[in-house]
Amino acid sequence: MGKSNIMVIGGKGGVGKTALSAILTKLLLQKKERLLLIDADPVVSLTYAVGMEPKSTIGDFREKLIVDSGKAREATKKPMKEVIGQLVQKNNDEMELLVMGRSEGMGCFCGINDLLRFGIESLCKEYDNILIDCEAGVEQVNRRAVHRMDKLILVTDTSKRGMETVAQVREVALKYFGDSPFTVYLLVNRIRDENDILTTTALAKEHGFEVNYFIPEDLTLLKYNAIGRPLIDLPEDSLSVATLKAFVNNEL
């Protein structure tokens, strides 16, 4: 297998980033290529959004190493690919899941992010596509929780704050990954009418963006969220799925 296609999803919290990540997962699976889904947000929302539950997480693994020096010594004797590979949850022949889990201390994600980065790097050649749902904001990109990226998918709603956040994420990504070219995409979520498109287009331009896709407000998605149904089960004719299908087919 050749070089994997690594896609990183970032943006402000509350803009629907994880929901769109789940829909992208659904659509990427239709390609019948091996997919590694990485839930890199400590609240593990994406795991539930794709109909799975977190079992073995990087956070739990690191905690065991801290409290048990014998396990720590044993782990360091094995290749990191093998160690992290044991934490991958299998859903079917196409998709596998790696969950980051909780942090190891108040405000400190350094150790977990290092393990995550090494795990991605060692596993990436085993998959055609890797989709990473990062935590909100710029922290993981700043700490280089990913070793490289091919596509940076930025998600915002129509708010100025959301646009400011994706601009920050892009700036940090260019700082740390500028020596390895990657493509930036901007998805604007929860579009209600033509006025939203016009105002958000102007706001994006102020921040040096061109909007790639506008995702309409999706009542079916809202209903699924309300009852806790996995978003990966959204029907093909739901507005968000239909719009993102064009994005996946044309860009990913």
Coordinates of all heavy atoms in Angstrom, one line a residue, residues 191-201:
I191 N -26.1 26.6 7.3 CA -26.5 27.7 6.4 C -28.1 27.6 6.3 O -28.6 26.6 6.0 CB -25.9 27.6 5.0 CG1 -24.4 27.8 5.0 CG2 -26.6 28.5 4.0 CD1 -24.0 29.2 5.4
R192 N -28.7 28.8 6.6 CA -30.2 28.8 6.6 C -30.8 29.4 5.4 O -31.9 29.1 5.0 CB -30.7 29.5 7.9 CG -30.3 28.8 9.2 CD -30.4 29.8 10.3 NE -29.4 30.9 10.2 CZ -29.2 31.8 11.1 NH1 -29.9 31.9 12.2 NH2 -28.3 32.8 10.9
D193 N -30.1 30.4 4.8 CA -30.7 31.1 3.6 C -29.6 31.7 2.8 O -28.4 31.6 3.1 CB -31.7 32.1 4.1 CG -31.2 33.1 5.2 OD1 -30.0 33.4 5.1 OD2 -32.0 33.5 6.0
E194 N -30.0 32.4 1.7 CA -29.1 33.0 0.8 C -28.3 34.1 1.5 O -27.1 34.4 1.2 CB -29.9 33.6 -0.4 CG -29.0 34.2 -1.4 CD -28.1 33.1 -2.2 OE1 -28.5 31.9 -2.2 OE2 -27.1 33.5 -2.7
N195 N -28.9 34.8 2.5 CA -28.2 35.9 3.2 C -27.1 35.3 4.0 O -26.0 35.9 4.1 CB -29.2 36.6 4.2 CG -28.5 37.8 4.9 OD1 -28.1 38.7 4.2 ND2 -28.5 37.7 6.2
D196 N -27.2 34.1 4.6 CA -26.1 33.5 5.3 C -24.9 33.2 4.4 O -23.8 33.4 4.7 CB -26.6 32.1 5.9 CG -27.3 32.3 7.2 OD1 -27.2 33.4 7.8 OD2 -27.8 31.3 7.7
I197 N -25.3 32.8 3.1 CA -24.2 32.6 2.2 C -23.5 33.9 1.8 O -22.2 33.9 1.8 CB -24.8 31.9 0.9 CG1 -25.3 30.5 1.2 CG2 -23.7 31.9 -0.2 CD1 -26.0 29.9 0.0
L198 N -24.2 34.9 1.6 CA -23.6 36.2 1.2 C -22.7 36.8 2.3 O -21.6 37.2 2.1 CB -24.7 37.2 0.8 CG -25.5 36.9 -0.5 CD1 -26.6 37.9 -0.6 CD2 -24.5 36.9 -1.7
T199 N -23.2 36.8 3.6 CA -22.5 37.4 4.7 C -21.3 36.5 5.0 O -20.2 37.0 5.3 CB -23.4 37.5 5.9 OG1 -24.0 36.3 6.3 CG2 -24.5 38.5 5.6
T200 N -21.4 35.2 5.0 CA -20.3 34.3 5.3 C -19.2 34.3 4.2 O -18.0 34.3 4.6 CB -20.8 32.9 5.5 OG1 -21.9 32.9 6.4 CG2 -19.7 32.0 6.1
T201 N -19.6 34.5 3.0 CA -18.7 34.6 1.9 C -17.8 35.9 2.1 O -16.6 35.8 2.0 CB -19.4 34.7 0.6 OG1 -20.1 33.5 0.3 CG2 -18.4 34.9 -0.6

